[in-house]
Amino acid sequence: MRAVVEAMKQTIGKAGLGRGTKALLELNQMGGFDCPSCAWPDPDHHRSVAEFCENGAKAVASEAMKHTIGRDFFAKHSVAELMGQTDAWHDLQGRLGEPMLLTEGASHYEPVSWDEAFAMIAEELHGLASPNEAIFYTSGRASNEAAFLYQLFVRAYGTNNLPDCSNMCHESSGLALKEAIGVGKGTVTLDDFLEAETIICVGQNPGTNHPRMLSTQELAVKKGAKLVAINPLKEAGLLSFMQPQHLTGLLGRGTALASTYLQVKVNGDMALFRGIAKSLIAAGNTDKDFIRRHASNYEEYRRSVEETSWDEIEALSGIDRLEIESLALSISSGSNKLITCWAMGLTQHRNAVATIREIANVHLLLGAVGKPGAGLCPVRGHSNVQGDRTVGIFEKMPESFLAALERQAGVPIPRAHGFDTVASILAMKEGRGKVFFALGGNFAQATPDTAFTAEALRRCRLTCHVSTKLNRSHLIHGRRALILPCLGRSERDEGPLGPRFVTTENSMGVVQSSQGKLSPASEDLLSETEIVARLAEVTLGDRGAVRWRWLAEDYDRIRNWIEAVVPGFDRYNDRVREHGGFYLPNAAKERRWNTENGMANFSAASIDAFEVKPGRYLLQTLRSHDQFNTTVYGLDDRYRGISGMRDIIFLNPEDLNVLGVKPGQRVDVTSHWEDGERHLNGFRAIPYEMPRGLAAAYFPEANVLVPVGHVAKGSNTPASKSIEVSITPSRG
Ligand SMILES: Nc1nc2c(c(=O)[nH]1)N[C@H]1C(S)=C(S)[C@@H](COP(=O)(O)OP(=O)(O)OC[C@H]3O[C@@H](n4cnc5c(=O)[nH]c(N)nc54)[C@H](O)[C@@H]3O)O[C@H]1N2
Ligand SMILES: Nc1nc2c(c(=O)[nH]1)N[C@H]1C(S)=C(S)[C@@H](COP(=O)(O)OP(=O)(O)OC[C@H]3O[C@@H](n4cnc5c(=O)[nH]c(N)nc54)[C@H](O)[C@@H]3O)O[C@H]1N2
Ligand SMILES: [Mo]
């Protein structure tokens, strides 16, 4: 009930009754627009009138604000003054209404025309010694069309420096799954959930971050599936769920969800899944036929499992052998219809790739990939982060894509790999990256090591952001800085040939259309695609087969290009107009393995976990209920019982005693890494139900503690869920 009330309050409060209600009625409807919040799919068949969650409503409310900020606002507030305000305050100021420029040495942003802005970027890009000195970031809200045109521009200009938010998010999943099953994406659909016998939800907090996933889980549980939660924290959303779309849900007691809740140690998941594998192998409960026909490296894996002792498994995971064995027995007692879902609790660790490989190992043992009711399900964050990757936002796209792009565009496409997010920060810091351009996102706040990254950005000659809302990345700037305001997902995108729609790909590989319906917040806004096309035209001019403006006039033309370059988009323009869109092909779903050896691969790595020195704590950074990444909507975290504050650190109650601090008392937190220490002082210690020795604080505030060099092996994802910290009571 609170979720329903909050959703209405936020939308009507921020966007107004008419605009707010209209926005919600179009949200996730066929023919409407795709929710700009998370990437959980919409039902293929029946959609309810309110096919959204509280947090989707908050995201839409924040975007649908009618109030705009432009020359008057920026004349009134200097950059220094805006730096002193909170992220929540920034978001409340309204939509960015006109292009703004911060000239060298100036204290205030001033208005600039679109033409002048594009000319300035082109001038800076032409002034570089090499295209590889420019960096082009993407956040996961950009549509397929904007993203495709953008990467084409960047590559035609001459670089693969295309870092994205995915580098900090599911990169570890993509890499692990590609090696294991040949596709870096999940293998299940919503229908599979209704057939599953067991659903494991590990390292994820769906109640806050993917609330509509709870409806799916509730249905699955009612159909008899067992839900297993694996999380160091007791997360309310995993325990029970009340379906707000049914009256019984509003008034009743809710469906009990997780039947098993394992409070694993942070980073203990690899050991835990190894324990499951050990039990399955010991009991002979494996799908021998599947392993023989489809999998490679089984013998080596089996030996590695046998060599792993139960002592080690229990010590690293913090879970008893008996519990692990009984879980293994339960998931293998029917037809092995297991789905495992995960998110940042697994991907943002030093051994993230190995951990996700271990989950894949368990699925391969059970033959639980590529059959109804079973599969792997990395739950994506940003609404189009998966689509952006599909259409080329990646610093190391495969040769097949680059060659196809070159053929289609008739311009040379560079092959050398570009910078990912962490490499970009280092390059800017060392003066090798000089122009920073961002299509969405909030790089300065989302990235690790806030002070280090700020210095890196400040060394640039130009920083430029295509954005909908004011954020801190506009304030931590290079010698010159530009803010280019764009249309949001919910807004009408009027082109010279009529209204345009874009397309996005959700977490389950469904490509669908998204058509904004609200009137744009300001007349001065351009669509992201339009911005990219005009910038490309000014910088490069039409060349080869590329006519930038012509492509952007009618997005069908861009979609035809995507179809020509990316496999799986056949009849893109027709199929995306059919109700609900279409599924991209996914070979692993059909048990075809696009790996180097053509088989699904076991990984025989030995287990490990990130360990801290005695007396220190293992800190994870996580999301509250009132934020979308760096956008802070409010100061509450309802499901964890927190209201009105974000400057907090969760600890086990006994650890509070050991530290000699009372609930709410301030503590100083220092993180330790090989390159030195970082500090965050005066945070309030809050007791929470979690294992001893762990700590949790909110992202992005706690990013000051995340060392830039502490990354996941292989994927280079900042290990923002395992930070070694010491904690002392604040003095004074
Ligand atoms: N409302 C809202 N929705 C969002 C977002 C948002 O900010 N707000 N962000 C979007 C994005 S981009 C993403 S990527 C997703 C993120 O979705 P989540 O991954 O759910 O987000 P986090 O808050 O980072 O949650 C991490 C969870 O993992 C647990 N965890 C931490 N370490 C470990 C570990 O070692 N093992 C296990 N088993 N669990 C662990 C934490 O206790 C926490 O419950 O959400 C998306 N949806
Ligand atoms: N410590 C720590 N750090 C983390 C994480 C963590 O768990 N812990 N999580 C990581 C993860 S999973 C992710 S995905 C990244 C997120 O990193 P980002 O994607 O860079 O950050 P967001 O906060 O999603 O970006 C918000 C900004 O995007 C702009 N925006 C919103 N909608 C649009 C739009 O439609 N178009 C355009 N052009 N701009 C728009 C607004 O100006 C807004 O201020 O952060 C990562 N950082
Ligand atoms: Mo994410």
Side-chain angles (χ1 to χ4, degrees), residues 52-177:
F52 56 85
C53 72
E54 173 189 354
N55 284 327
K58 284 183 196 159
V60 167
S62 161
E63 179 176 298
M65 284 175 82
K66 194 110 197 127
H67 187 70
T68 58
I69 55 178
R71 60 191 70 199
D72 297 340
F73 174 87
F74 286 101
K76 194 162 146 217
H77 304 284
S78 70
V79 170
E81 191 192 327
L82 292 172
M83 267 302 275
Q85 298 288 357
T86 61
D87 296 330
W89 187 90
H90 290 155
D91 189 59
L92 273 177
Q93 301 316 302
R95 283 285 296 282
L96 293 161
E98 60 177 328
M100 302 298 300
L101 164 69
L102 187 69
T103 53
E104 189 174 353
S107 57
H108 291 70
Y109 270 97
E110 290 164 302
V112 64
S113 74
W114 280 105
D115 286 335
E116 283 172 280
F118 294 135
M120 188 176 299
I121 304 166
E123 177 203 315
E124 290 281 5
L125 291 176
H126 287 309
L128 296 176
S130 148
N132 293 325
E133 290 180 346
I135 291 164
F136 298 88
Y137 177 72
T138 313
S139 167
R141 244 179 222 180
S143 64
N144 284 355
E145 291 74 8
F148 180 82
L149 206 66
Y150 180 58
Q151 62 80 35
L152 175 58
F153 160 59
V154 172
R155 294 189 160 111
Y157 164 67
T159 183
N160 279 306
N161 285 346
L162 283 159
D164 67 349
C165 66
S166 192
N167 297 147
M168 300 180 269
C169 187
H170 267 296
E171 198 68 67
S172 311
S173 309
L175 181 62
L177 293 178

Side-chain angles (χ1 to χ4, degrees), residues 32-350:
F33 65 94
D34 181 37
C35 182
S37 195
C38 80
W40 190 254
D42 309 313
D44 288 339
H45 320 291
H46 305 288
R47 299 200 185 167
S48 66
V49 188
E51 195 56 65
F52 56 85
C53 72
E54 173 189 354
N55 284 327
K58 284 183 196 159
V60 167
S62 161
E63 179 176 298
M65 284 175 82
K66 194 110 197 127
H67 187 70
T68 58
I69 55 178
R71 60 191 70 199
D72 297 340
F73 174 87
F74 286 101
K76 194 162 146 217
H77 304 284
S78 70
V79 170
E81 191 192 327
L82 292 172
M83 267 302 275
Q85 298 288 357
T86 61
D87 296 330
W89 187 90
H90 290 155
D91 189 59
L92 273 177
Q93 301 316 302
R95 283 285 296 282
L96 293 161
E98 60 177 328
M100 302 298 300
L101 164 69
L102 187 69
T103 53
E104 189 174 353
S107 57
H108 291 70
Y109 270 97
E110 290 164 302
V112 64
S113 74
W114 280 105
D115 286 335
E116 283 172 280
F118 294 135
M120 188 176 299
I121 304 166
E123 177 203 315
E124 290 281 5
L125 291 176
H126 287 309
L128 296 176
S130 148
N132 293 325
E133 290 180 346
I135 291 164
F136 298 88
Y137 177 72
T138 313
S139 167
R141 244 179 222 180
S143 64
N144 284 355
E145 291 74 8
F148 180 82
L149 206 66
Y150 180 58
Q151 62 80 35
L152 175 58
F153 160 59
V154 172
R155 294 189 160 111
Y157 164 67
T159 183
N160 279 306
N161 285 346
L162 283 159
D164 67 349
C165 66
S166 192
N167 297 147
M168 300 180 269
C169 187
H170 267 296
E171 198 68 67
S172 311
S173 309
L175 181 62
L177 293 178
K178 185 87 186 93
E179 288 169 353
I181 58 167
V183 52
K185 302 180 181 181
T187 69
V188 294
T189 65
L190 284 180
D191 288 343
D192 286 318
F193 278 78
L194 306 184
E195 261 194 64
E197 293 160 348
T198 313
I199 299 165
I200 297 183
C201 190
V202 49
Q204 197 202 347
N205 180 22
T208 284
N209 297 315
H210 302 93
R212 284 183 314 125
M213 182 176 177
L214 299 184
S215 318
T216 309
Q217 288 180 337
E218 187 200 27
L219 276 177
V221 166
K222 285 193 168 152
K223 285 202 149 199
K226 273 197 285 275
L227 181 70
V228 178
I230 303 177
N231 199 309
L233 268 58
K234 272 275 164 80
E235 302 283 26
L238 288 164
L239 293 167
S240 79
F241 175 59
M242 301 196 220
Q243 172 57 274
Q245 284 158 356
H246 304 151
L247 206 54
T248 49
L250 284 179
L251 306 174
R253 298 190 35 228
T255 309
L257 287 180
S259 54
T260 306
Y261 205 115
L262 300 180
Q263 278 186 279
V264 68
K265 280 190 186 169
V266 160
N267 202 211
D269 307 275
M270 187 182 185
L272 174 55
F273 277 85
R274 179 60 57 92
I276 296 175
K278 198 171 170 71
S279 317
L280 291 173
I281 291 174
N285 287 336
T286 58
D287 184 339
K288 292 163 197 77
D289 185 51
F290 175 89
I291 295 171
R292 193 169 35 76
R293 288 173 47 186
H294 293 285
S296 141
N297 207 25
Y298 172 67
E299 276 311 315
E300 201 189 326
Y301 176 63
R302 190 183 52 78
R303 272 196 302 279
S304 169
V305 170
E306 276 164 10
E307 279 160 18
T308 317
S309 72
W310 276 110
D311 284 351
E312 207 184 344
I313 290 169
E314 288 185 317
L316 293 181
S317 68
I319 307 291
D320 288 343
R321 173 176 178 172
L322 275 180
E323 272 193 281
I324 300 177
E325 283 176 338
S326 99
L327 174 58
L329 194 62
S330 144
I331 60 181
S332 57
S333 61
S335 358
N336 294 357
K337 290 188 174 177
L338 168 69
I339 294 178
T340 303
C341 312
W342 70 90
M344 297 305 101
L346 295 193
T347 63
Q348 299 175 334
H349 288 293
R350 200 158 172 72

Side-chain angles (χ1 to χ4, degrees), residues 196-524:
E197 293 160 348
T198 313
I199 299 165
I200 297 183
C201 190
V202 49
Q204 197 202 347
N205 180 22
T208 284
N209 297 315
H210 302 93
R212 284 183 314 125
M213 182 176 177
L214 299 184
S215 318
T216 309
Q217 288 180 337
E218 187 200 27
L219 276 177
V221 166
K222 285 193 168 152
K223 285 202 149 199
K226 273 197 285 275
L227 181 70
V228 178
I230 303 177
N231 199 309
L233 268 58
K234 272 275 164 80
E235 302 283 26
L238 288 164
L239 293 167
S240 79
F241 175 59
M242 301 196 220
Q243 172 57 274
Q245 284 158 356
H246 304 151
L247 206 54
T248 49
L250 284 179
L251 306 174
R253 298 190 35 228
T255 309
L257 287 180
S259 54
T260 306
Y261 205 115
L262 300 180
Q263 278 186 279
V264 68
K265 280 190 186 169
V266 160
N267 202 211
D269 307 275
M270 187 182 185
L272 174 55
F273 277 85
R274 179 60 57 92
I276 296 175
K278 198 171 170 71
S279 317
L280 291 173
I281 291 174
N285 287 336
T286 58
D287 184 339
K288 292 163 197 77
D289 185 51
F290 175 89
I291 295 171
R292 193 169 35 76
R293 288 173 47 186
H294 293 285
S296 141
N297 207 25
Y298 172 67
E299 276 311 315
E300 201 189 326
Y301 176 63
R302 190 183 52 78
R303 272 196 302 279
S304 169
V305 170
E306 276 164 10
E307 279 160 18
T308 317
S309 72
W310 276 110
D311 284 351
E312 207 184 344
I313 290 169
E314 288 185 317
L316 293 181
S317 68
I319 307 291
D320 288 343
R321 173 176 178 172
L322 275 180
E323 272 193 281
I324 300 177
E325 283 176 338
S326 99
L327 174 58
L329 194 62
S330 144
I331 60 181
S332 57
S333 61
S335 358
N336 294 357
K337 290 188 174 177
L338 168 69
I339 294 178
T340 303
C341 312
W342 70 90
M344 297 305 101
L346 295 193
T347 63
Q348 299 175 334
H349 288 293
R350 200 158 172 72
N351 61 358
V353 178
T355 299
I356 297 161
R357 289 295 300 266
E358 194 61 29
I359 292 180
N361 286 339
V362 166
H363 277 257
L364 296 183
L365 284 177
L366 292 166
V369 190
K371 72 174 186 186
L376 293 151
C377 183
V379 183
R380 299 279 165 174
H382 262 299
S383 53
N384 197 38
V385 63
Q386 188 159 314
D388 290 347
R389 191 49 75 84
T390 304
V391 302
I393 302 297
F394 190 24
E395 72 282 357
K396 42 186 184 207
M397 281 304 275
E399 173 58 26
S400 54
F401 174 90
L402 298 173
L405 187 66
E406 192 163 74
R407 264 197 310 279
Q408 176 70 17
V411 296
I413 297 294
R415 298 306 207 270
H417 289 174
F419 300 142
D420 62 14
T421 291
V422 167
S424 295
I425 297 170
L426 298 177
M428 289 187 279
K429 184 73 189 319
E430 292 159 12
R432 291 179 285 118
K434 297 192 172 114
V435 171
F436 177 84
F437 185 99
L439 187 64
N442 185 359
F443 192 86
Q445 281 295 86
T447 47
D449 228 328
T450 312
F452 185 97
T453 301
E455 260 183 72
L457 287 165
R458 290 202 166 100
R459 292 202 60 187
C460 289
R461 282 150 59 153
L462 173 72
T463 48
C464 175
H465 288 85
V466 179
S467 310
T468 50
K469 303 290 290 276
L470 176 65
N471 67 46
R472 208 164 292 277
S473 297
H474 306 134
L475 312 174
I476 297 174
H477 54 81
R479 203 155 72 196
R480 293 198 281 186
L482 282 163
I483 303 175
L484 306 180
C486 66
L487 292 174
R489 215 35 97 68
S490 55
E491 287 165 325
R492 221 171 30 241
D493 181 358
E494 208 56 65
L497 310 175
R500 297 176 284 200
F501 67 88
V502 294
T503 57
T504 57
E505 175 186 343
N506 65 32
S507 203
M508 292 179 184
V510 179
V511 179
Q512 61 205 341
S513 69
S514 174
Q515 179 137 39
K517 295 285 167 73
L518 302 182
S519 55
S522 146
E523 283 178 0
D524 262 336

